[in-house]
Amino acid sequence: MRTALRSTGGSLAAAGGGALLLSLLFALLSLLAATRDPGPARERLRASLEAGSFSASLGTFSLPLGSREVPAWDSNDCLIFMMLVLPRQDLARDAFSPRIPTRLEPEPAGDPVQARCERLGELLTTDPDPPAHRYDRYLHGQRVLATLLLPLTGPEGLRRLVTTAVALALAGLALLAGWRGRQRQGTPEALRDAAFAGYALCLLAFHALPMFGRYWSHALSDLPVVVLLWALYLAPPAPAARGLLLGLLGAAVSMLEFLTGQWPLAVALILLAAAAQPSPPGWRAVARDLAGFGLGVVLPLAAKLALGALLFADVAPAAEGSGLLHRIYGPVVPEMSPREAARLAALGFDVTRLDTEPWWRLPYVAARLAYFAFVPGAGAWRLGLGGTAAWVFGLALLAGSVGVLAWRFGAGLPRRGGVSPHLWWALAACGAMLGWYVLFLNHTLLHTAWMARTLVVFPMAAWVAWLARPAARA
């Protein structure tokens, strides 16, 4: 027991130390970004605007497997570009949090998806110094990196750089793990190689990279999650070294997270990594990994809250906390698209019932996830919905059959020893994703297009469960 406690303590200490060191480096980069003149970024963005890059007619692209056209720039992309073009005010305060215009949408507002990019056009042409307020929520790593890179790359170059990095990292992991699995064919380690190769391919195929991978703000958030997958594949078994890696990557995910799904996806990857081991670890080892990653996630956010309360009188942690809590529960109708409310009214459903009768939110979220199945389906709605249904049904069937066998032969369902631990961890990954959907129910409902991407956890879990069939039968 003492050895286990020392091992856990060393792992968590390494995770916390790594997270704090990365936070310090991020603070220095934030200070450097705050010293940059916004002029070069404005010029690069204005050139793209004049070339039609941000217009509704030219700024669209088609998804590979469907006729849907989606905007070439996401609203978060243009929101961060707004942060870059506003005049600087106070070095320390600008390094701590960016400013955003008080009025984010143009007047009159156009397509809600394009509205912020149209507002960006106003800032670049007719409204260079609008009324603005501080956006203290989040760490805004995208803002910091874009400030440093955009004058060199331009917006299109920034998009190509980040998207290419994510695609190459996933393709490289799939090739390396696949090659090593072929070399070790017939050995227990080949299961792990095949599982990670499949994970990388699932992210390439079903994580909506043809759509959201083109949005540089989303792709940049994906990058530390992809690095986490590499780290879980190559990570040394020593608890301290593993804790250091997980703490660093937890902090990196927090620095680039806009509540777009990377936190729960990272948790699911840690559980799927356990499912991929030839001899899956016990719950203590997995809990230690999750705790190290969670410590890395929390420490940078806690440090920002503490520093903000100590250094700046206008930081309001309670207000930012209430904004986060609103993503868990609160009124959703005021934030819904009027077009969506009108479509539902035509079908006979009054959207105000989502606020007056909150139990309606669960079936409504399920319906929205089904509607946005074209996102993981690369534009093909039937493919996305059918694939998701097949993965969920296959996992349920496999879990049920293994559970029946365990009960039939006297192992007992509550006892982990009666069911393949590969399957337990695969199902735990799916449960973590479903739990996030329900915990942040408002966010899932309002931003289902983003959260539909994380349905990728289900084919990944189905893949490792299929690979582990011999262990389940044994």
Side-chain angles (χ1 to χ4, degrees):
M1 179 61 73
R2 289 182 180 178
T3 302
L5 290 175
R6 281 198 300 268
S7 175
T8 300
S11 176
L12 294 180
L20 290 175
L21 284 175
L22 188 59
S23 299
L24 177 60
L25 175 61
F26 180 71
L28 295 175
L29 288 175
S30 299
L31 279 170
L32 177 61
T35 65
R36 293 297 180 96
D37 177 15
R42 290 182 65 93
E43 291 303 316
R44 296 303 295 263
L45 288 165
R46 188 181 291 115
S48 295
L49 177 69
E50 292 171 353
S53 180
F54 296 111
S55 70
S57 59
L58 297 178
T60 60
F61 64 92
S62 296
L63 295 179
L65 300 180
S67 59
R68 294 177 183 269
E69 285 196 343
V70 295
W73 303 95
D74 182 66
S75 60
N76 276 352
D77 294 348
C78 291
L79 175 62
I80 297 163
F81 287 151
M82 289 185 205
M83 299 174 186
L84 306 188
V85 303
L86 293 184
R88 301 289 184 259
Q89 287 189 341
D90 175 75
L91 175 63
R93 194 66 178 92
D94 287 343
F96 187 79
S97 292
R99 292 193 307 144
I100 58 175
T102 302
R103 179 173 64 85
L104 284 176
E105 275 70 39
E107 296 176 355
D111 185 329
V113 178
Q114 291 280 38
R116 288 187 182 175
C117 293
E118 294 171 12
R119 181 71 177 108
L120 173 65
E122 290 183 3
L123 298 180
L124 293 170
T125 53
T126 61
D127 193 14
D129 192 9
H133 65 278
R134 296 287 177 181
Y135 193 11
D136 288 315
R137 199 184 315 157
Y138 308 120
L139 295 172
H140 300 290
Q142 284 95 336
R143 183 272 307 240
V144 172
L145 294 177
T147 301
L148 301 175
L149 294 175
L150 187 73
L152 303 175
T153 64
E156 293 82 8
L158 180 63
R159 177 168 60 192
R160 286 193 298 270
L161 176 67
V162 181
T163 300
T164 303
V166 171
L168 288 179
L170 287 173
L173 178 58
L175 289 172
L176 175 64
W179 177 78
R180 292 176 70 175
R182 186 174 180 82
Q183 296 294 109
R184 297 192 284 204
Q185 193 169 8
T187 67
E189 289 76 15
L191 168 65
R192 183 171 178 271
D193 295 323
F196 274 88
Y199 295 163
L201 290 174
C202 283
L203 287 171
L204 276 170
F206 305 118
H207 197 221
L209 291 184
M211 180 178 174
F212 282 96
R214 289 178 57 97
Y215 298 147
W216 69 271
S217 60
H218 286 270
L220 199 54
S221 297
D222 290 339
L223 198 53
V225 177
V226 174
V227 176
L228 172 65
L229 189 61
W230 269 94
L232 291 169
Y233 181 59
L234 300 175
R242 192 176 181 89
L244 177 63
L245 275 173
L246 290 171
L248 286 169
L249 289 166
V253 170
S254 275
M255 290 168 187
L256 296 168
E257 175 63 271
F258 257 122
L259 212 63
T260 49
Q262 281 73 23
W263 282 331
L265 179 58
V267 168
L269 289 181
I270 292 171
L271 296 170
L272 288 168
Q277 304 305 317
S279 297
W283 69 266
R284 289 186 181 86
V286 177
R288 183 179 62 209
D289 283 353
L290 291 172
F293 178 80
L295 194 60
V297 166
V298 169
L299 281 179
L301 297 170
K304 177 167 183 173
L305 287 174
L307 288 173
L310 288 172
L311 300 177
F312 306 111
D314 60 338
V315 173
E320 297 301 333
S322 66
L324 181 63
L325 288 175
H326 176 66
R327 296 308 183 196
I328 299 175
Y329 185 79
V332 297
V333 174
E335 295 187 56
M336 290 183 65
S337 164
R339 293 185 304 175
E340 182 175 354
R343 284 197 298 265
L344 289 170
L347 295 173
F349 182 78
D350 181 4
V351 295
T352 60
R353 299 179 70 180
L354 296 172
D355 287 341
T356 59
E357 303 172 60
W359 66 269
W360 272 105
R361 297 183 188 186
L362 281 173
Y364 188 59
V365 161
R368 279 181 62 83
L369 284 170
Y371 172 79
F372 282 102
F374 74 87
V375 173
W381 179 78
R382 290 183 178 85
L383 175 64
L385 184 61
T388 302
W391 302 322
V392 172
F393 178 75
L395 276 169
L397 186 63
L398 189 57
S401 64
V402 173
V404 167
L405 287 174
W407 174 81
R408 171 68 178 81
F409 290 103
L413 284 177
R415 291 179 52 194
R416 180 179 157 227
V419 179
S420 164
H422 303 278
L423 181 59
W424 274 117
W425 292 125
L427 294 175
C430 297
M433 196 65 256
L434 291 173
W436 182 272
Y437 283 155
V438 175
L439 176 62
F440 285 88
L441 189 59
N442 280 10
H443 180 268
T444 309
L445 189 153
L446 293 168
H447 299 299
T448 319
W450 300 347
M451 299 309 296
R453 306 178 73 207
T454 50
L455 290 171
V456 69
V457 170
F458 288 92
M460 296 167 82
W463 170 245
V464 72
W466 176 260
L467 289 175
R469 292 184 333 279
R473 286 196 296 268

